[in-house]
Amino acid sequence: MARLPKITNDEILAAARQVFLAEGVGASTLTIAEKAGISEASIFKRFATKQALFLAAMGISETPQWVKDLPRRQPTAAIKSELSQICREMVAFYQKVLPRVLMMMAQNKQPFPPPPMRDTNLLAGFLERAIAQGYIQSGNAKVIAHMIVGAIVNYVIMTTIANKISIPLPFTSPSVDPDTFVEQLIETVWTGIAPDR
């Protein structure tokens, strides 16, 4: 009897991700198994359902550390650099998962809550704590959070689209690298929220 090839969960998820991104959520697990070089039964020995495989492959079930930490994180007098760090982590997260989230939404299979809604609420809570401690001006923390998360989501969508366009169009411009984007975003927002001192 021949031994089954050893394959890691990560290798199965990589094959599944490629197939799901190419064919959508309706992709066959048989196609995924063939891509991974294993039997279809091997997939279901590791992932109970096709939905579990899909969510794991898309990385939607992952909760980044900054999301886990933000509800408890207390702002300090270094709030501007703290916001920059949070935004850099958000950009990196969205660059990884936003194309997958958009694909899920196109298939009417969105994660609940969608990451932008979750992150807007988490950031608003952090900003409310910063307002309460006098580190930023009083204002509507939810609106500020919407501006920041919305700008990040838009940045990731636009850079993703720009990277896929192979011919220059009149409305495309050279993309800004993520660190420069975050720096300029926080500088712009800071103008309106800096404490009066």
Side-chain angles (χ1 to χ4, degrees), residues 18 34 70 89-90 94 120 122 145 153-154 167 186 197:
Q18 287 179 344
E34 289 171 355
L70 197 52
E89 291 171 9
M90 272 191 200
Y94 281 107
T120 298
L122 289 173
V153 169
N154 183 63
I167 56 171
I186 295 304
R197 289 190 184 156

Side-chain angles (χ1 to χ4, degrees), residues 16-185:
R17 187 176 310 112
Q18 287 179 344
V19 173
F20 282 131
L21 288 173
E23 298 180 19
V25 72
S28 159
T29 51
L30 181 58
T31 303
I32 294 167
E34 289 171 355
K35 177 95 175 155
I38 58 173
S39 72
E40 191 175 21
S42 295
I43 290 176
F44 290 110
K45 286 180 183 174
R46 299 186 193 199
F47 301 93
T49 64
K50 181 179 171 181
Q51 182 180 15
L53 173 66
F54 178 78
L55 291 173
M58 294 297 104
I60 306 303
S61 57
E62 300 165 7
T63 302
Q65 192 60 46
W66 64 269
V67 169
K68 294 175 186 174
D69 294 342
L70 197 52
R72 296 179 305 281
R73 187 170 180 173
Q74 290 302 315
T76 69
I79 183 73
K80 189 175 176 185
S81 69
E82 292 167 348
L83 279 173
S84 293
Q85 181 59 37
I86 291 167
C87 288
R88 279 192 291 279
E89 291 171 9
M90 272 191 200
V91 168
F93 169 75
Y94 281 107
Q95 286 175 320
K96 178 180 174 189
V97 303
L98 194 58
R100 300 171 195 169
V101 169
L102 293 175
M103 190 200 82
M104 288 177 69
M105 292 173 73
Q107 301 281 343
N108 286 331
K109 303 280 186 190
Q110 51 192 345
F112 293 100
M117 292 176 72
R118 174 199 66 199
D119 300 340
T120 298
N121 289 329
L122 289 173
L123 185 59
F126 179 75
L127 293 168
E128 285 167 357
R129 293 189 294 277
I131 290 168
Q133 295 174 22
Y135 294 131
I136 59 175
Q137 288 182 30
S138 63
N140 189 325
K142 191 82 162 191
V143 170
I144 299 165
H146 272 290
M147 289 173 23
I148 292 171
V149 174
I152 288 170
V153 169
N154 183 63
Y155 167 77
V156 172
I157 289 172
M158 297 304 280
T159 54
T160 301
I161 291 170
N163 290 337
K164 300 234 184 262
I165 296 174
S166 58
I167 56 171
L169 299 173
F171 53 83
T172 61
S173 60
S175 66
V176 176
D177 70 89
D179 287 334
T180 303
F181 170 77
V182 166
E183 179 185 318
Q184 292 176 357
L185 171 64

